[in-house]
Amino acid sequence: MAFDLLSYETVLEKLPQRKHLLLGNGFSISCDPIFSYANLFEYVKNQGLSLNVQKVFEYLGTNNFEGVMKMLEDVETVRHFYNLEYKDKKIQTILEDLDIVKSSLINAIARTHLPHSGKIDEEKKGHCVKFLKPYQNIFTTNYDLLLYWISMHGHVELQERDGFRASIDDPEAEYLVFSEHLGQNKGMLFLHGALHLYMEEGELRKHSWIRSNKTLIELIKEGLDRKQYPLFVAEGKPEKKLDQIHKNGYLSYCLGKLERIQNALVIYGMSLGQSDSHILNTIADNLKIDNLFVGLYGSPNSKENQLIGQMAEGLKSRRKRWLDRNKGGRELFVHYYDSSTAKVWG
């Protein structure tokens, strides 16, 4: 398909006063290649991946964690169709490998992450603050600390809130607790969880370097050693991701916020892959979103960008089917822009 690519400057001119932003992994990678999933594979492999799982990675691509997990998860479905016993040793081995991939990915992201925000140039941080400032709600599918670091760096300008406050039961605790919905305040929402968020004693907590005088990475590593795993949606299938989201109050709230936003949504650094169809369907089904601006990186004719275009056009079709059956709601218009012109990091 052919694209009529806009510049990001033109996008800003077209956006209404109240607009929202959705960030994918491209946001982090464009800051530092260390955030690329490709860099994580070697670390994960060294954590004890079986040769069989390594072959699955080689088949699907060594940075395709979601694809690998989806393939391993499919074994459970096939087991039911063929009436295979769960206690079958091979079935058990595959499902154990799935658990290893998930836990190793969490550990890999935490332990190969930039150690602290000081590793990011001050000028780059300033450019990113400027990029984020116009948006009312910022959603991200990333697990890393980058967005949180930038929000802390530019907290006066951005005024983003994430809903975490001091614990009522333990006001002096080193952590913060999710306890406040954002309302009309500017919001920062982690759709798939994040490294600095974790469940403990039935509540969602957030590591706080201000309260502990330790870097977030130090706190996360200490938590991992205590088997205090980050809140982290690492499922391969979108329906499994959605199931995990609905089982957690915070994640459900974040997705619900995406269901309720109005006007325009800008997408930056996201491939719109099938594994994120639960998010894409949420966008298409939110009848108050009328304009979607999708960033493309590199040649518009590349296979990746053509697939992005197909997925985005699919959202228009999904919206149209709903409007054809029902009264009310807005048509969805999809626009494309050259993401390299956004100059997120300068």
Side-chain angles (χ1 to χ4, degrees):
M1 62 182 294
F3 296 104
D4 182 16
L5 280 186
L6 304 172
S7 69
Y8 183 68
E9 184 177 350
T10 302
V11 170
L12 287 177
E13 292 172 355
K14 290 178 175 290
L15 289 173
Q17 183 176 358
R18 193 179 183 89
K19 56 267 189 183
H20 313 275
L21 178 67
L22 171 59
L23 300 172
N25 194 230
F27 169 77
S28 299
I29 294 173
S30 61
C31 174
D32 194 302
I34 196 172
F35 293 107
S36 170
Y37 271 11
N39 289 338
L40 298 175
F41 175 69
E42 287 301 321
Y43 183 95
V44 170
K45 186 171 71 172
N46 293 331
Q47 298 304 296
L49 290 186
S50 69
L51 290 176
N52 288 331
V53 176
Q54 291 182 45
K55 290 177 181 177
V56 177
F57 270 104
E58 290 171 4
Y59 175 73
L60 294 178
T62 55
N63 64 340
N64 192 355
F65 284 87
E66 291 177 328
V68 170
M69 288 187 286
K70 179 180 181 298
M71 181 173 282
L72 296 179
E73 287 166 354
D74 283 341
V75 171
E76 180 66 11
T77 302
V78 172
R79 180 180 73 82
H80 287 295
F81 292 155
Y82 283 85
N83 295 316
L84 299 175
E85 293 292 330
Y86 176 79
K87 62 184 179 182
D88 182 285
K89 188 173 181 180
K90 290 183 179 180
I91 299 293
Q92 284 185 319
T93 299
I94 292 172
L95 297 179
E96 287 169 2
D97 282 345
L98 173 60
D99 288 337
I100 291 172
V101 172
K102 289 181 181 179
S103 60
S104 296
L105 178 57
I106 294 172
N107 278 279
I109 291 177
R111 299 186 190 280
T112 62
H113 200 286
L114 290 177
H116 52 81
S117 62
K119 292 292 184 180
I120 305 170
D121 184 80
E122 292 294 305
E123 188 174 351
K124 290 175 73 172
K125 292 178 191 173
H127 279 290
C128 192
V129 169
K130 183 179 178 181
F131 170 71
L132 298 174
K133 186 177 179 179
Y135 297 99
Q136 175 70 19
N137 289 295
I138 301 172
F139 301 89
T140 180
T141 59
N142 298 335
Y143 316 114
D144 59 65
L145 302 175
L146 194 52
L147 178 61
Y148 183 56
W149 281 344
I150 297 302
S151 71
M152 295 294 290
H153 176 79
H155 68 278
V156 174
E157 295 176 76
L158 296 176
Q159 299 181 341
E160 301 289 345
R161 296 190 181 183
D162 59 9
F164 287 84
R165 297 291 180 269
S167 170
I168 295 176
D169 298 323
D170 188 1
E172 303 303 318
E174 292 186 348
Y175 57 83
L176 298 171
V177 176
F178 180 67
S179 60
E180 181 180 299
H181 288 189
L182 301 175
Q184 295 302 308
N185 296 303
K186 297 184 73 173
M188 180 176 62
L189 303 107
F190 294 84
L191 293 168
H192 287 165
L195 288 174
H196 61 302
L197 309 179
Y198 64 99
M199 295 297 300
E200 187 82 2
E201 297 181 2
E203 61 185 7
L204 183 67
R205 297 175 179 177
K206 180 178 80 170
H207 291 299
S208 172
W209 66 270
I210 293 177
R211 288 174 160 252
S212 64
N213 291 318
K214 297 178 182 179
T215 68
L216 289 178
I217 289 297
E218 287 179 303
L219 293 169
I220 291 164
K221 289 179 178 178
E222 289 176 2
L224 287 172
D225 291 337
R226 294 193 295 268
K227 298 188 182 300
Q228 202 177 66
Y229 287 102
L231 178 65
F232 192 93
V233 178
E235 306 295 342
K237 293 181 178 180
E239 59 268 26
K240 284 187 173 289
K241 286 182 177 179
L242 195 57
D243 182 60
Q244 189 175 348
I245 287 169
H246 286 322
K247 288 178 179 177
N248 181 276
Y250 170 77
L251 296 177
S252 182
Y253 171 73
C254 291
L255 190 64
K257 191 74 172 178
L258 186 61
E259 291 176 340
R260 296 187 297 274
I261 61 172
Q262 300 181 35
N263 303 328
L265 176 66
V266 176
I267 298 179
Y268 177 88
M270 194 171 180
S271 62
L272 308 192
Q274 187 63 37
S275 62
D276 286 325
S277 61
H278 58 298
I279 292 175
L280 304 181
N281 290 342
T282 297
I283 294 169
D285 296 347
N286 180 345
L287 304 181
K288 294 181 180 180
I289 296 176
D290 52 10
N291 281 281
L292 183 66
F293 294 84
V294 180
L296 301 179
Y297 182 78
S299 170
N301 297 321
S302 70
K303 180 180 179 181
E304 292 77 12
N305 284 332
Q306 289 294 311
L307 289 174
I308 289 175
Q310 291 173 22
M311 292 296 287
E313 295 303 311
L315 302 188
K316 289 173 56 177
S317 299
R318 183 181 176 97
R319 174 71 64 84
K320 187 176 185 304
R321 288 195 299 272
W322 195 97
L323 294 176
D324 288 343
R325 295 194 304 267
N326 303 275
K327 293 182 179 180
R330 307 176 184 176
E331 184 179 351
L332 181 63
F333 296 93
V334 178
H335 319 268
Y336 301 92
Y337 69 96
D338 181 351
S339 61
S340 67
T341 64
K343 307 295 182 185
V344 176
W345 302 100

